[in-house]
Amino acid sequence: EAGVVQSPRYKIIEKKQPVAFWCNPISGHNTLYWYRQNLGQGPELLIRYENEEAVDDSQLPKDRFSAERLKGVDSTLKIQPAELGDSAVYLCASSRRDPGQETQYFGPGTRLLVL
Amino acid sequence: EDQVTQSPEALRLQEGESSSLNCSYTVSGLRGLFWYRQDPGKGPEFLFTLYSAGEEKEKERLKATLTKKESFLHITAPKPEDSATYLCAVQAGSARQLTFGSGTQLTVLP
């Protein structure tokens, strides 16, 4: 079974520029998560999708961050404009919805550096 | 608010020197406690899920245990390839997302 795929793996941009991250979840996983991981910290949730619906985006900075999950499969996370404090690793994870099978599997992440 | 605290922040062991990592949690209605391993430059890799106090799970040199307030990850006779950051996370109440601790960075010296 293929794992969660993310691209790009690395991105370096200047502040105020836009940036986008792409995620393809594990086949059959209805739930998709975007997390942000700062250096030396655990991941923190930004947004969760159930199929194509964003059901938990309370931690997403909506003034500059946006996300979409068209057709309930792939997802894109966008930052516009980027700030220095956005430098972090952006992780995508996916899981099934069935009780007892909700383990989240993570992709390799996109490492963003804002200069 | 759900809280997860991991200790120690960093641990250096000699190859073969067994030890334990601690994960203390404060949540309302624990649904599951998860352990992940994260290697540098990679995403977290799933290890175990524990659902209720008294539950134990093992995988190779790792054994995870759960009480009502904390979880331990026991590492028996570690090898250098066990070096990584070990993350603990909880899922509580009706929430689907995980609340993570800051991790324990384990280094096993040959």
Side-chain angles (χ1 to χ4, degrees), chain A residues 43-86:
Chain A
E44 294 180 327
L45 181 74
L46 291 174
I47 189 168
R48 172 171 67 95
Y49 280 92
E50 295 291 347
N51 297 309
E52 65 273 10
E53 182 181 1
V55 294
D56 185 355
D57 62 356
S58 57
Q59 301 302 313
L60 189 72
K62 299 181 182 62
D63 56 336
R64 297 184 300 107
F65 286 64
S66 64
E68 60 182 10
R69 190 183 184 196
L70 300 177
K71 300 182 180 179
V73 181
D74 295 0
S75 178
T76 302
L77 178 68
K78 298 179 181 178
I79 308 175
Q80 183 171 11
E83 297 180 352
L84 296 177
D86 296 330

Side-chain angles (χ1 to χ4, degrees), chain B residues 18-101:
Chain B
S18 301
S19 188
S20 296
L21 313 182
N22 178 262
C23 171
S24 298
Y25 61 91
T26 303
V27 300
S28 180
L30 180 72
R31 291 174 52 206
L33 185 140
F34 299 77
W35 282 98
Y36 287 83
R37 167 189 173 133
Q38 188 171 26
D39 292 295
K42 296 187 177 181
E45 176 189 347
F46 171 72
L47 293 174
F48 303 109
T49 308
L50 302 168
Y51 293 103
S52 58
E55 189 174 1
E56 298 182 352
K57 289 193 176 175
E58 291 187 63
K59 179 180 180 181
E60 297 181 352
R61 295 177 292 281
L62 300 177
K63 179 180 177 180
T65 62
L66 180 65
T67 72
K68 290 186 178 180
K69 294 183 178 180
E70 57 191 351
S71 177
F72 292 93
L73 185 64
H74 307 278
I75 303 176
T76 302
K79 299 181 178 181
E81 53 262 43
D82 294 322
S83 297
T85 295
Y86 290 85
L87 294 166
C88 169
V90 297
Q91 194 176 49
S94 60
R96 298 286 305 279
Q97 74 267 19
L98 298 175
T99 300
F100 282 86

